[in-house]
Amino acid sequence: MAGGWAKDGAVSEQIEASINDELARLKARKVPVGQSLTHCADCEEPIPDARRAALPGVKLCIDCAGQRDTRNAPRGGINRRGSKDSQLK
């Protein structure tokens, strides 16, 4: 049920495209490889055994990894709406 000039299923296609873009971005991320460290490379706190078993090659504790992830979070999105209001923000 699309309104105006949009074809039927346009909203679903936009949602699918957004999901596929995010999945592609996640798959392109570097994954740690090799031997896991016993202590964090940044703060030197011990890395729990469960984390080292779950992520082979992990080098950061959960807190430092979370801080690093939030530092890299800001990124530009794609304007799929195409309205003037969304372009002005």
Side-chain angles (χ1 to χ4, degrees):
M1 178 173 115
W5 297 99
K7 63 181 180 174
D8 288 341
V11 174
S12 296
E13 288 176 11
Q14 288 177 353
I15 292 170
E16 258 184 66
S18 295
I19 291 170
N20 289 335
D21 289 347
E22 189 64 18
L23 287 173
R25 187 186 70 80
L26 290 173
K27 287 178 184 176
R29 284 189 340 186
K30 286 186 176 182
V31 180
V33 293
Q35 187 69 24
S36 294
L37 297 179
T38 56
H39 291 76
C40 178
D42 286 349
C43 68
E44 310 235 349
E45 288 292 320
I47 299 174
D49 292 335
R51 178 167 172 76
R52 289 188 289 138
L55 293 170
V58 72
K59 304 205 179 334
L60 299 174
C61 66
I62 294 172
D63 293 335
C64 292
Q67 289 174 359
R68 184 170 288 180
D69 288 346
T70 56
R71 229 181 305 151
N72 296 333
R75 57 184 172 82
I78 298 172
N79 177 13
R80 295 188 190 279
R81 281 183 49 201
S83 73
K84 290 182 181 178
D85 292 339
S86 66
Q87 293 173 3
L88 294 174
K89 293 181 181 177

